[in-house]
Amino acid sequence: MASDTHSAPSAMNSGPSSLPFDQYVQKLRTLVDDNPMSKIQLLVVAICFVLNMLDGMDVVLMSYAAPVLAEDWAIPAAALGAVFSSALVGMTLGCLAIAPYADVIGRRRMILLAIFVIATGMLVSGVCQSIWQLAAARVYTGLGVGAILASMAAMTSEYANDKQRNLCVAIVQAGYPIGAVLTGFASAAIMPEHGWRPMFIWAGVITGAMFPIVYFLMPESLEFLAKKQPRNGLKNLNKTLVCMGAEQMDGLPEKPADMQKTSVKALFDGPRGFSTLMLWCGVFLGFFTLYFVISWIPKIAVDAGLPLEKGIFAGTAYNLGSFAGSIFLGWISARYGLQKMICLFFFIAAVMLMVFGSVSMNVFFILLCAFVIGITLNGGFNGFWPTAARLYPTEIRATGVGWAVGAGRAGAVAGPLVGGYLLQSGAGLSVTFAVFAVPLVLAGIAALNIRSSDFA
């Protein structure tokens, strides 16, 4: 179900619609919202889920490969840290500098570009001969990872009906921890005997296999086709509507003279500016605690007396909780409101963090606690993506999501560093985890202050 998105005059798309522009776009939204989820809509959600699962694989693979890589190349921890940071730098640049162009060239084309970058980056990573070559390859790969997230969230939001939108976006976000868990199992099976290179090469091949699937099966955003009016826009729009079982449109609308341009400034227009600031604050604070937990829970579990393999299981329990929490948030938010549930999840996560850091527990309760932290912390955090997708109109949606992720990446960098400093300084687990509980409470309050008439 490919769509050609080359620019062309609207005259190539048949005559204009009889509906004014705003009513036309609203009718498209109504056609999606009022109909049950069709096969093509479910296919879009499924493809985005698999892509996010592969993102989880591509991002966490380096952490699983680190011990083997350090032994093979006899590299110090500082050099290895540079490799970890290089991927994060690439993701930040991808979010801020590349992701917004999905609002210009289209969601589908941006996803295809990102798949190409990620796949080639993983393949190159698998044949690198020096630590600096690997760092450069990870920056390049990170560009694709950062670019794809906003487009996946936007596509899922635009193709899911109103009743299922929060759940569908949550399902897509749940793909990430599943990819991380499966990558851990595969790495444990392959790396001890074959080393780290085959894992990167296979990751590149698997990611690349998604390119033809997206090219032939994923349609372009309906609202993007209506607003940007690329060549064959009406034909592709109606082709998708037919697949959805919805009525076709008689033409494309006349573009309004004051068509809003894609820019970061547009994120702060009118009352939307305050909500954008609250979104950025919430994502920053959420990332701050999230990356601390992801980075330190396995080691803290081992330091608490668990053997190494059970410490790794603590990380796995957290990721499984992340999957369950993302799905659960999407389901329950349809009943009680997305922002309220984000706040509630974060408040519970803050309490569980203090329990994890201050209460002596046996293996079962340590794993259970890690699982519940995954449900509430990661589940609540993933609620920011459907929040962002609902906050912004189509023409700036990918820009809004991309900049929210990019703005929060500073928290992702700072969280593990602050956590390491606190633990090294002798502050103790109870104080350290209490410190990281505070940002979650503040992030929950920020979520409550994001205002949009589209929220459930």
Side-chain angles (χ1 to χ4, degrees):
M1 175 104 206
S3 1
D4 190 345
T5 56
H6 294 288
S7 297
S10 59
M12 298 186 65
N13 292 303
S14 181
S17 169
S18 58
L19 291 174
F21 181 82
D22 290 342
Q23 292 182 25
Y24 187 98
V25 173
Q26 182 57 45
K27 182 176 180 180
L28 280 180
R29 189 70 261 168
T30 301
L31 289 175
V32 174
D33 287 343
D34 291 351
N35 289 320
M37 294 286 287
S38 63
K39 290 181 180 179
I40 187 67
Q41 291 166 280
L42 293 173
L43 178 63
V44 170
V45 175
I47 290 175
C48 290
F49 171 82
V50 173
L51 289 173
N52 208 30
M53 189 171 69
L54 295 179
D55 268 3
M57 172 186 69
D58 297 334
V59 172
V60 305
L61 183 54
M62 191 65 235
S63 64
Y64 291 121
V68 182
L69 179 66
E71 183 178 348
D72 283 355
W73 287 356
I75 55 178
L80 198 57
V83 177
F84 287 130
S85 298
S86 61
L88 191 59
V89 169
M91 283 188 280
T92 303
L93 292 174
C95 290
L96 298 179
I98 301 177
Y101 281 97
D103 291 324
V104 178
I105 67 174
R107 320 278 190 248
R108 176 178 167 273
R109 182 176 288 181
M110 179 58 72
I111 290 173
L112 287 169
L113 174 63
I115 290 172
F116 175 81
V117 171
I118 296 169
T120 52
M122 297 302 287
L123 290 171
V124 170
S125 297
V127 297
C128 286
Q129 300 299 316
S130 74
I131 193 67
W132 301 116
Q133 289 179 5
L134 184 58
R138 295 302 290 166
V139 171
Y140 174 76
T141 305
L143 291 173
V145 174
I148 200 171
L149 174 60
S151 290
M152 290 190 299
M155 283 287 280
T156 305
S157 177
E158 290 166 13
Y159 269 99
N161 61 30
D162 186 64
K163 184 178 180 181
Q164 305 294 335
R165 187 165 297 123
N166 290 348
L167 178 59
C168 287
V169 176
I171 287 173
V172 169
Q173 297 307 318
Y176 189 98
I178 289 297
V181 170
L182 294 177
T183 302
F185 289 144
S187 298
I190 294 174
M191 285 188 189
E193 184 175 350
H194 301 287
W196 59 275
R197 293 184 187 275
M199 282 297 299
F200 280 88
I201 292 173
W202 274 111
V205 171
I206 295 170
T207 301
M210 289 301 296
F211 191 95
I213 293 174
V214 172
Y215 186 85
F216 289 109
L217 298 181
M218 177 175 276
E220 182 55 90
S221 159
L222 296 176
E223 295 177 40
F224 175 84
L225 292 173
K227 291 187 176 184
K228 294 298 184 179
Q229 301 186 11
R231 180 189 304 169
N232 296 324
L234 179 62
K235 176 183 176 182
N236 289 321
L237 184 147
N238 280 330
K239 185 178 180 180
T240 302
L241 289 175
V242 169
C243 292
M244 291 169 53
E247 67 173 282
Q248 299 184 53
M249 305 299 284
D250 59 357
L252 292 176
E254 292 287 349
K255 292 183 180 180
D258 60 344
M259 183 72 172
Q260 191 176 29
K261 294 183 178 180
T262 298
S263 69
V264 178
K265 183 180 178 181
L267 303 179
F268 294 91
D269 284 351
R272 189 188 298 135
F274 177 76
S275 292
T276 293
L277 287 176
M278 289 296 98
L279 176 65
W280 288 12
C281 288
V283 173
F284 174 88
L285 294 167
F287 263 135
F288 183 81
T289 298
L290 182 68
Y291 270 74
F292 161 73
V293 171
I294 291 173
S295 302
W296 287 99
I297 268 193
K299 187 177 188 310
I300 289 171
V302 172
D303 291 345
L306 294 184
L308 177 60
E309 65 274 14
K310 288 188 171 61
I312 294 174
F313 286 158
T316 303
Y318 171 83
N319 280 310
L320 290 174
S322 300
F323 171 77
S326 297
I327 301 295
F328 183 57
L329 178 79
W331 173 78
I332 198 172
S333 65
R335 298 188 176 194
Y336 300 106
L338 181 58
Q339 295 160 277
K340 292 178 182 177
M341 290 301 100
I342 293 174
C343 185
L344 178 61
F345 273 45
F346 277 166
F347 278 30
I348 297 173
V351 173
M352 294 305 300
L353 280 177
M354 290 188 287
V355 170
F356 190 87
S358 59
V359 178
S360 179
M361 296 178 284
N362 60 27
V363 173
F364 173 79
F365 282 106
I366 287 177
L367 297 179
L368 179 62
C369 194
F371 180 74
V372 175
I373 290 173
I375 291 175
T376 53
L377 172 54
N378 219 93
F381 182 79
N382 281 338
F384 280 124
W385 310 136
T387 298
R390 285 177 176 269
L391 177 61
Y392 302 111
T394 300
E395 61 268 20
I396 58 171
R397 186 167 290 138
T399 302
V401 177
W403 270 77
V405 178
R409 287 293 176 187
V413 175
L417 294 176
V418 172
Y421 172 78
L422 289 172
L423 292 170
Q424 184 175 328
S425 69
L429 289 180
S430 60
V431 172
T432 300
F433 274 79
V435 167
F436 279 90
V438 173
L440 289 185
V441 174
L442 297 177
I445 295 172
L448 287 177
N449 283 280
I450 301 172
R451 302 186 181 96
S452 171
S453 59
D454 289 334
F455 285 131

